[in-house]
Amino acid sequence: MTTIAVLGNGRVGGNLTTALTRAGHDVTVADRAPGAAADAARAARIVINATPGAGSLERLAALSEELRDKILVDVSNATIDGPDGLPADLIYPGSSLAERLQEALPDTHVVKTLNTMLFPVMTAPATLTQAPNAFLSGDDPQAKQAVGELLVDLGWHKEWIIDLGGIQTARATEAAILFVPHVIRSNGFTPFAISIAR
């Protein structure tokens, strides 16, 4: 059992909270009450950023002391939304939210994952008709191993998880969000994920 704090209680955060609790972890959700995020982060071993990506950097940089020596799992994408509310561009072109978070939080182990799929797939990957992939980006091998174990608890087979390397590789997976609006307009909100065919 791992003590986990989920920052963000929307569809993504709620989905992850339910699944991780079901898997036997001690999960706390930080609501919008003043100090809730700090209290939750302080008490957790692993913190999951499920807040809207556009405001994540400012929100999490303010928690630098609470996040010291913690694993921060970043599942958000920082995008500029188009008129229809779907992602139209990246806020950090040539970089990534995960890289910015690692720069702002040098004493925290940031791991990027689960950001290349619609949210239901994060906790039910086996429901797709073919095997999806979850990607890991981060500078600390032990942190990535711990996050990989969480993914297994969420139903990801080990062979579906691909370690891409350092945190700078997150810019590739974050850029994949630009596929999403086109796929949704073409096929609706049917769950899907990006996978590597071999």
Side-chain angles (χ1 to χ4, degrees):
M1 183 188 76
T2 301
T3 305
I4 300 169
V6 177
L7 308 185
N9 56 1
R11 292 180 301 179
V12 173
N15 192 35
L16 289 168
T17 297
T18 299
L20 289 167
T21 300
R22 191 182 299 125
H25 297 288
D26 180 8
V27 186
T28 301
V29 181
D31 58 25
R32 294 183 178 274
D39 291 343
R42 191 179 296 113
R45 175 177 173 244
I46 295 177
V47 178
I48 298 176
N49 174 39
T51 65
S56 291
L57 182 57
E58 182 180 7
R59 189 175 288 118
L60 293 170
L63 300 175
S64 59
E65 192 54 45
E66 291 83 358
L67 291 170
R68 183 184 300 275
D69 297 325
K70 304 293 176 72
I71 296 171
L72 176 62
V73 184
D74 179 32
V75 302
S76 295
N77 288 303
T79 59
I80 300 166
D81 290 340
D84 58 2
L86 295 175
D89 210 345
L90 302 174
I91 291 178
Y92 306 113
S95 183
S96 64
L97 172 59
E99 288 173 272
R100 297 295 182 95
L101 287 170
Q102 189 63 85
E103 290 167 9
L105 302 164
D107 298 317
T108 302
H109 308 298
V110 179
V111 179
K112 189 82 180 191
T113 194
L114 295 179
N115 63 310
T116 55
M117 61 201 68
L118 287 190
F119 79 93
V121 180
M122 294 178 176
T123 58
T127 60
L128 297 184
T129 57
Q130 62 191 57
N133 288 118
F135 303 98
L136 296 173
S137 298
D139 293 335
D140 186 277
Q142 290 180 315
K144 285 191 286 188
Q145 180 178 346
V147 174
E149 290 168 1
L150 279 190
L151 295 183
V152 170
D153 288 345
L154 291 174
W156 290 86
H157 296 192
K158 287 183 179 179
E159 62 269 22
W160 296 352
I161 302 168
I162 299 176
D163 184 346
L164 296 179
I167 198 66
Q168 76 280 358
T169 64
R171 67 182 64 178
T173 61
E174 289 191 27
I177 191 66
L178 298 180
F179 274 106
V180 170
H182 308 299
V183 174
I184 289 173
R185 291 186 193 111
S186 176
N187 296 294
F189 281 90
T190 305
F192 70 90
I194 291 175
S195 62
I196 305 300
R198 289 191 167 89

